[in-house]
Amino acid sequence: MHERLYSQDAIAASLSTLSVDAQKRAAKDAAKKAAKATAAEERAAEKLAASKILIKRVERNKRKYVTAVSGLEAFGLDLKKVSKDFGKRFATGSSVTKVAGGTGEEIVVQGDLSDEIWDMLVEGEGYGVPEDNVECVEDKKKKSAG
């Protein structure tokens, strides 16, 4: 009995079938991982296509405006860098602030620059945001902090 179970031939036969099973399992796992990766890429592409950049013109005082830009994080843009670019390009103050609802951050630019910011995001400067994903909105009165 011992000879039959533990002989060289029996061990070699057992190991060969084990390696085939392991190979099958490895191939199955690799296929599953590849399917997961493609599904994750598709989800990321859908999320990117569905996300919007909102450019809001907010009235501060009678004829003073600020422009708030939100939603840039979804496109992988660094908010501080983009804010600095806006400030340099338009010669105005520009800062990154937290949104009141706690849903993220937005860039606030002094002045009514919604059209210029739209042009900058869509047409040039290396941002490459699709035109369909940028939306301009006009708010009336900004709520006072006090």
PDB file of all heavy atoms in Angstrom, residues 111-138:
ATOM      1  N   GLY A 111     -13.904  89.063  -9.877  1.00  0.00           N
ATOM      2  CA  GLY A 111     -14.313  89.642 -11.147  1.00  0.00           C
ATOM      3  C   GLY A 111     -15.239  88.726 -11.928  1.00  0.00           C
ATOM      4  O   GLY A 111     -15.369  87.548 -11.638  1.00  0.00           O
ATOM      5  N   ASP A 112     -15.893  89.306 -12.938  1.00  0.00           N
ATOM      6  CA  ASP A 112     -16.804  88.553 -13.803  1.00  0.00           C
ATOM      7  C   ASP A 112     -15.996  87.981 -14.958  1.00  0.00           C
ATOM      8  O   ASP A 112     -15.839  88.597 -15.996  1.00  0.00           O
ATOM      9  CB  ASP A 112     -17.906  89.493 -14.304  1.00  0.00           C
ATOM     10  CG  ASP A 112     -18.873  88.784 -15.220  1.00  0.00           C
ATOM     11  OD1 ASP A 112     -18.849  87.546 -15.253  1.00  0.00           O
ATOM     12  OD2 ASP A 112     -19.662  89.472 -15.893  1.00  0.00           O
ATOM     13  N   LEU A 113     -15.479  86.796 -14.765  1.00  0.00           N
ATOM     14  CA  LEU A 113     -14.589  86.179 -15.754  1.00  0.00           C
ATOM     15  C   LEU A 113     -15.114  84.843 -16.246  1.00  0.00           C
ATOM     16  O   LEU A 113     -14.344  84.006 -16.704  1.00  0.00           O
ATOM     17  CB  LEU A 113     -13.200  85.982 -15.137  1.00  0.00           C
ATOM     18  CG  LEU A 113     -12.502  87.251 -14.680  1.00  0.00           C
ATOM     19  CD1 LEU A 113     -11.321  86.907 -13.809  1.00  0.00           C
ATOM     20  CD2 LEU A 113     -12.051  88.048 -15.880  1.00  0.00           C
ATOM     21  N   SER A 114     -16.425  84.616 -16.161  1.00  0.00           N
ATOM     22  CA  SER A 114     -16.962  83.296 -16.490  1.00  0.00           C
ATOM     23  C   SER A 114     -16.670  82.899 -17.941  1.00  0.00           C
ATOM     24  O   SER A 114     -16.288  81.758 -18.207  1.00  0.00           O
ATOM     25  CB  SER A 114     -18.456  83.235 -16.195  1.00  0.00           C
ATOM     26  OG  SER A 114     -19.130  84.289 -16.839  1.00  0.00           O
ATOM     27  N   ASP A 115     -16.839  83.814 -18.880  1.00  0.00           N
ATOM     28  CA  ASP A 115     -16.578  83.482 -20.291  1.00  0.00           C
ATOM     29  C   ASP A 115     -15.099  83.205 -20.543  1.00  0.00           C
ATOM     30  O   ASP A 115     -14.747  82.265 -21.270  1.00  0.00           O
ATOM     31  CB  ASP A 115     -17.056  84.615 -21.197  1.00  0.00           C
ATOM     32  CG  ASP A 115     -18.561  84.792 -21.146  1.00  0.00           C
ATOM     33  OD1 ASP A 115     -19.271  83.804 -20.845  1.00  0.00           O
ATOM     34  OD2 ASP A 115     -19.039  85.925 -21.389  1.00  0.00           O
ATOM     35  N   GLU A 116     -14.238  84.016 -19.933  1.00  0.00           N
ATOM     36  CA  GLU A 116     -12.807  83.830 -20.129  1.00  0.00           C
ATOM     37  C   GLU A 116     -12.326  82.510 -19.527  1.00  0.00           C
ATOM     38  O   GLU A 116     -11.500  81.805 -20.107  1.00  0.00           O
ATOM     39  CB  GLU A 116     -12.023  84.996 -19.507  1.00  0.00           C
ATOM     40  CG  GLU A 116     -12.181  86.311 -20.250  1.00  0.00           C
ATOM     41  CD  GLU A 116     -13.404  87.109 -19.812  1.00  0.00           C
ATOM     42  OE1 GLU A 116     -14.274  86.566 -19.090  1.00  0.00           O
ATOM     43  OE2 GLU A 116     -13.504  88.271 -20.217  1.00  0.00           O
ATOM     44  N   ILE A 117     -12.871  82.163 -18.362  1.00  0.00           N
ATOM     45  CA  ILE A 117     -12.501  80.898 -17.724  1.00  0.00           C
ATOM     46  C   ILE A 117     -12.994  79.724 -18.566  1.00  0.00           C
ATOM     47  O   ILE A 117     -12.293  78.732 -18.748  1.00  0.00           O
ATOM     48  CB  ILE A 117     -13.046  80.835 -16.283  1.00  0.00           C
ATOM     49  CG1 ILE A 117     -12.266  81.812 -15.409  1.00  0.00           C
ATOM     50  CG2 ILE A 117     -12.952  79.429 -15.723  1.00  0.00           C
ATOM     51  CD1 ILE A 117     -12.780  81.940 -14.007  1.00  0.00           C
ATOM     52  N   TRP A 118     -14.196  79.844 -19.117  1.00  0.00           N
ATOM     53  CA  TRP A 118     -14.732  78.798 -19.987  1.00  0.00           C
ATOM     54  C   TRP A 118     -13.803  78.601 -21.185  1.00  0.00           C
ATOM     55  O   TRP A 118     -13.460  77.470 -21.534  1.00  0.00           O
ATOM     56  CB  TRP A 118     -16.137  79.181 -20.449  1.00  0.00           C
ATOM     57  CG  TRP A 118     -16.832  78.094 -21.175  1.00  0.00           C
ATOM     58  CD1 TRP A 118     -17.601  77.119 -20.643  1.00  0.00           C
ATOM     59  CD2 TRP A 118     -16.812  77.864 -22.594  1.00  0.00           C
ATOM     60  NE1 TRP A 118     -18.064  76.291 -21.635  1.00  0.00           N
ATOM     61  CE2 TRP A 118     -17.590  76.725 -22.839  1.00  0.00           C
ATOM     62  CE3 TRP A 118     -16.206  78.501 -23.661  1.00  0.00           C
ATOM     63  CZ2 TRP A 118     -17.784  76.218 -24.111  1.00  0.00           C
ATOM     64  CZ3 TRP A 118     -16.400  77.993 -24.938  1.00  0.00           C
ATOM     65  CH2 TRP A 118     -17.178  76.866 -25.153  1.00  0.00           C
ATOM     66  N   ASP A 119     -13.399  79.712 -21.813  1.00  0.00           N
ATOM     67  CA  ASP A 119     -12.485  79.618 -22.961  1.00  0.00           C
ATOM     68  C   ASP A 119     -11.168  78.960 -22.566  1.00  0.00           C
ATOM     69  O   ASP A 119     -10.638  78.111 -23.285  1.00  0.00           O
ATOM     70  CB  ASP A 119     -12.201  81.011 -23.534  1.00  0.00           C
ATOM     71  CG  ASP A 119     -13.415  81.606 -24.236  1.00  0.00           C
ATOM     72  OD1 ASP A 119     -14.314  80.837 -24.618  1.00  0.00           O
ATOM     73  OD2 ASP A 119     -13.453  82.846 -24.389  1.00  0.00           O
ATOM     74  N   MET A 120     -10.651  79.340 -21.398  1.00  0.00           N
ATOM     75  CA  MET A 120      -9.360  78.814 -20.959  1.00  0.00           C
ATOM     76  C   MET A 120      -9.435  77.306 -20.686  1.00  0.00           C
ATOM     77  O   MET A 120      -8.530  76.561 -21.046  1.00  0.00           O
ATOM     78  CB  MET A 120      -8.905  79.558 -19.704  1.00  0.00           C
ATOM     79  CG  MET A 120      -7.529  79.236 -19.243  1.00  0.00           C
ATOM     80  SD  MET A 120      -7.094  80.345 -17.905  1.00  0.00           S
ATOM     81  CE  MET A 120      -5.565  79.627 -17.373  1.00  0.00           C
ATOM     82  N   LEU A 121     -10.521  76.845 -20.065  1.00  0.00           N
ATOM     83  CA  LEU A 121     -10.649  75.421 -19.745  1.00  0.00           C
ATOM     84  C   LEU A 121     -10.876  74.574 -20.988  1.00  0.00           C
ATOM     85  O   LEU A 121     -10.327  73.488 -21.118  1.00  0.00           O
ATOM     86  CB  LEU A 121     -11.796  75.198 -18.755  1.00  0.00           C
ATOM     87  CG  LEU A 121     -11.552  75.654 -17.327  1.00  0.00           C
ATOM     88  CD1 LEU A 121     -12.822  75.493 -16.514  1.00  0.00           C
ATOM     89  CD2 LEU A 121     -10.422  74.894 -16.700  1.00  0.00           C
ATOM     90  N   VAL A 122     -11.702  75.074 -21.909  1.00  0.00           N
ATOM     91  CA  VAL A 122     -12.091  74.262 -23.065  1.00  0.00           C
ATOM     92  C   VAL A 122     -11.074  74.338 -24.193  1.00  0.00           C
ATOM     93  O   VAL A 122     -10.675  73.318 -24.753  1.00  0.00           O
ATOM     94  CB  VAL A 122     -13.487  74.701 -23.563  1.00  0.00           C
ATOM     95  CG1 VAL A 122     -13.835  74.026 -24.866  1.00  0.00           C
ATOM     96  CG2 VAL A 122     -14.524  74.393 -22.510  1.00  0.00           C
ATOM     97  N   GLU A 123     -10.632  75.536 -24.517  1.00  0.00           N
ATOM     98  CA  GLU A 123      -9.882  75.709 -25.764  1.00  0.00           C
ATOM     99  C   GLU A 123      -8.372  75.646 -25.625  1.00  0.00           C
ATOM    100  O   GLU A 123      -7.678  75.451 -26.614  1.00  0.00           O
ATOM    101  CB  GLU A 123     -10.272  77.036 -26.412  1.00  0.00           C
ATOM    102  CG  GLU A 123     -11.711  77.031 -26.865  1.00  0.00           C
ATOM    103  CD  GLU A 123     -12.185  78.381 -27.344  1.00  0.00           C
ATOM    104  OE1 GLU A 123     -11.395  79.335 -27.312  1.00  0.00           O
ATOM    105  OE2 GLU A 123     -13.344  78.468 -27.742  1.00  0.00           O
ATOM    106  N   GLY A 124      -7.823  75.835 -24.441  1.00  0.00           N
ATOM    107  CA  GLY A 124      -6.373  75.862 -24.422  1.00  0.00           C
ATOM    108  C   GLY A 124      -5.770  75.649 -23.065  1.00  0.00           C
ATOM    109  O   GLY A 124      -6.391  75.091 -22.165  1.00  0.00           O
ATOM    110  N   GLU A 125      -4.522  76.067 -22.945  1.00  0.00           N
ATOM    111  CA  GLU A 125      -3.755  76.041 -21.708  1.00  0.00           C
ATOM    112  C   GLU A 125      -3.472  74.634 -21.203  1.00  0.00           C
ATOM    113  O   GLU A 125      -3.115  74.458 -20.049  1.00  0.00           O
ATOM    114  CB  GLU A 125      -4.457  76.842 -20.601  1.00  0.00           C
ATOM    115  CG  GLU A 125      -4.683  78.295 -20.923  1.00  0.00           C
ATOM    116  CD  GLU A 125      -3.397  79.099 -21.070  1.00  0.00           C
ATOM    117  OE1 GLU A 125      -2.433  78.818 -20.348  1.00  0.00           O
ATOM    118  OE2 GLU A 125      -3.371  79.988 -21.909  1.00  0.00           O
ATOM    119  N   GLY A 126      -3.691  73.598 -21.997  1.00  0.00           N
ATOM    120  CA  GLY A 126      -3.343  72.244 -21.596  1.00  0.00           C
ATOM    121  C   GLY A 126      -4.311  71.591 -20.635  1.00  0.00           C
ATOM    122  O   GLY A 126      -3.998  70.568 -20.051  1.00  0.00           O
ATOM    123  N   TYR A 127      -5.507  72.158 -20.443  1.00  0.00           N
ATOM    124  CA  TYR A 127      -6.468  71.529 -19.532  1.00  0.00           C
ATOM    125  C   TYR A 127      -7.283  70.467 -20.246  1.00  0.00           C
ATOM    126  O   TYR A 127      -7.600  69.448 -19.669  1.00  0.00           O
ATOM    127  CB  TYR A 127      -7.389  72.582 -18.894  1.00  0.00           C
ATOM    128  CG  TYR A 127      -6.631  73.543 -18.020  1.00  0.00           C
ATOM    129  CD1 TYR A 127      -6.592  74.897 -18.315  1.00  0.00           C
ATOM    130  CD2 TYR A 127      -5.940  73.102 -16.915  1.00  0.00           C
ATOM    131  CE1 TYR A 127      -5.885  75.772 -17.524  1.00  0.00           C
ATOM    132  CE2 TYR A 127      -5.231  73.971 -16.116  1.00  0.00           C
ATOM    133  CZ  TYR A 127      -5.202  75.306 -16.430  1.00  0.00           C
ATOM    134  OH  TYR A 127      -4.499  76.165 -15.652  1.00  0.00           O
ATOM    135  N   GLY A 128      -7.670  70.702 -21.488  1.00  0.00           N
ATOM    136  CA  GLY A 128      -8.325  69.694 -22.300  1.00  0.00           C
ATOM    137  C   GLY A 128      -9.637  69.165 -21.747  1.00  0.00           C
ATOM    138  O   GLY A 128      -9.891  67.976 -21.787  1.00  0.00           O
ATOM    139  N   VAL A 129     -10.482  70.045 -21.231  1.00  0.00           N
ATOM    140  CA  VAL A 129     -11.776  69.628 -20.709  1.00  0.00           C
ATOM    141  C   VAL A 129     -12.777  69.631 -21.859  1.00  0.00           C
ATOM    142  O   VAL A 129     -12.841  70.604 -22.617  1.00  0.00           O
ATOM    143  CB  VAL A 129     -12.234  70.594 -19.591  1.00  0.00           C
ATOM    144  CG1 VAL A 129     -13.598  70.209 -19.084  1.00  0.00           C
ATOM    145  CG2 VAL A 129     -11.229  70.599 -18.466  1.00  0.00           C
ATOM    146  N   PRO A 130     -13.568  68.569 -22.040  1.00  0.00           N
ATOM    147  CA  PRO A 130     -14.567  68.560 -23.115  1.00  0.00           C
ATOM    148  C   PRO A 130     -15.597  69.670 -22.923  1.00  0.00           C
ATOM    149  O   PRO A 130     -15.994  69.988 -21.800  1.00  0.00           O
ATOM    150  CB  PRO A 130     -15.229  67.188 -22.982  1.00  0.00           C
ATOM    151  CG  PRO A 130     -14.265  66.363 -22.222  1.00  0.00           C
ATOM    152  CD  PRO A 130     -13.508  67.293 -21.334  1.00  0.00           C
ATOM    153  N   GLU A 131     -16.033  70.229 -24.024  1.00  0.00           N
ATOM    154  CA  GLU A 131     -16.959  71.368 -23.989  1.00  0.00           C
ATOM    155  C   GLU A 131     -18.292  71.002 -23.336  1.00  0.00           C
ATOM    156  O   GLU A 131     -18.916  71.822 -22.672  1.00  0.00           O
ATOM    157  CB  GLU A 131     -17.191  71.859 -25.424  1.00  0.00           C
ATOM    158  CG  GLU A 131     -17.996  73.125 -25.530  1.00  0.00           C
ATOM    159  CD  GLU A 131     -18.056  73.628 -26.951  1.00  0.00           C
ATOM    160  OE1 GLU A 131     -17.185  73.291 -27.768  1.00  0.00           O
ATOM    161  OE2 GLU A 131     -19.007  74.373 -27.246  1.00  0.00           O
ATOM    162  N   ASP A 132     -18.731  69.756 -23.512  1.00  0.00           N
ATOM    163  CA  ASP A 132     -20.013  69.323 -22.951  1.00  0.00           C
ATOM    164  C   ASP A 132     -19.987  69.268 -21.431  1.00  0.00           C
ATOM    165  O   ASP A 132     -21.039  69.290 -20.799  1.00  0.00           O
ATOM    166  CB  ASP A 132     -20.384  67.940 -23.491  1.00  0.00           C
ATOM    167  CG  ASP A 132     -20.525  67.951 -24.997  1.00  0.00           C
ATOM    168  OD1 ASP A 132     -20.773  69.029 -25.564  1.00  0.00           O
ATOM    169  OD2 ASP A 132     -20.381  66.879 -25.612  1.00  0.00           O
ATOM    170  N   ASN A 133     -18.803  69.178 -20.839  1.00  0.00           N
ATOM    171  CA  ASN A 133     -18.692  69.012 -19.396  1.00  0.00           C
ATOM    172  C   ASN A 133     -18.544  70.337 -18.641  1.00  0.00           C
ATOM    173  O   ASN A 133     -18.386  70.329 -17.435  1.00  0.00           O
ATOM    174  CB  ASN A 133     -17.507  68.118 -19.052  1.00  0.00           C
ATOM    175  CG  ASN A 133     -17.714  66.703 -19.503  1.00  0.00           C
ATOM    176  OD1 ASN A 133     -18.393  66.458 -20.489  1.00  0.00           O
ATOM    177  ND2 ASN A 133     -17.152  65.761 -18.796  1.00  0.00           N
ATOM    178  N   VAL A 134     -18.571  71.467 -19.335  1.00  0.00           N
ATOM    179  CA  VAL A 134     -18.434  72.768 -18.680  1.00  0.00           C
ATOM    180  C   VAL A 134     -19.768  73.494 -18.778  1.00  0.00           C
ATOM    181  O   VAL A 134     -20.363  73.575 -19.850  1.00  0.00           O
ATOM    182  CB  VAL A 134     -17.318  73.609 -19.340  1.00  0.00           C
ATOM    183  CG1 VAL A 134     -17.155  74.940 -18.634  1.00  0.00           C
ATOM    184  CG2 VAL A 134     -16.014  72.848 -19.338  1.00  0.00           C
ATOM    185  N   GLU A 135     -20.223  74.009 -17.644  1.00  0.00           N
ATOM    186  CA  GLU A 135     -21.527  74.664 -17.604  1.00  0.00           C
ATOM    187  C   GLU A 135     -21.410  76.004 -16.869  1.00  0.00           C
ATOM    188  O   GLU A 135     -20.816  76.076 -15.794  1.00  0.00           O
ATOM    189  CB  GLU A 135     -22.515  73.757 -16.872  1.00  0.00           C
ATOM    190  CG  GLU A 135     -23.938  74.233 -16.905  1.00  0.00           C
ATOM    191  CD  GLU A 135     -24.874  73.228 -16.268  1.00  0.00           C
ATOM    192  OE1 GLU A 135     -24.596  72.016 -16.344  1.00  0.00           O
ATOM    193  OE2 GLU A 135     -25.868  73.665 -15.689  1.00  0.00           O
ATOM    194  N   CYS A 136     -21.979  77.066 -17.446  1.00  0.00           N
ATOM    195  CA  CYS A 136     -21.965  78.390 -16.819  1.00  0.00           C
ATOM    196  C   CYS A 136     -23.311  78.651 -16.151  1.00  0.00           C
ATOM    197  O   CYS A 136     -24.360  78.438 -16.747  1.00  0.00           O
ATOM    198  CB  CYS A 136     -21.708  79.476 -17.855  1.00  0.00           C
ATOM    199  SG  CYS A 136     -20.015  79.491 -18.457  1.00  0.00           S
ATOM    200  N   VAL A 137     -23.258  79.111 -14.900  1.00  0.00           N
ATOM    201  CA  VAL A 137     -24.460  79.381 -14.107  1.00  0.00           C
ATOM    202  C   VAL A 137     -24.307  80.775 -13.519  1.00  0.00           C
ATOM    203  O   VAL A 137     -23.201  81.205 -13.196  1.00  0.00           O
ATOM    204  CB  VAL A 137     -24.613  78.339 -12.967  1.00  0.00           C
ATOM    205  CG1 VAL A 137     -25.838  78.626 -12.142  1.00  0.00           C
ATOM    206  CG2 VAL A 137     -24.656  76.948 -13.528  1.00  0.00           C
ATOM    207  N   GLU A 138     -25.427  81.476 -13.338  1.00  0.00           N
ATOM    208  CA  GLU A 138     -25.366  82.819 -12.734  1.00  0.00           C
ATOM    209  C   GLU A 138     -26.182  82.832 -11.448  1.00  0.00           C
ATOM    210  O   GLU A 138     -27.379  82.526 -11.464  1.00  0.00           O
ATOM    211  CB  GLU A 138     -25.921  83.854 -13.706  1.00  0.00           C
ATOM    212  CG  GLU A 138     -25.848  85.258 -13.163  1.00  0.00           C
ATOM    213  CD  GLU A 138     -26.296  86.309 -14.170  1.00  0.00           C
ATOM    214  OE1 GLU A 138     -26.249  86.034 -15.371  1.00  0.00           O
ATOM    215  OE2 GLU A 138     -26.715  87.380 -13.733  1.00  0.00           O
TER     216      GLU A 138
END
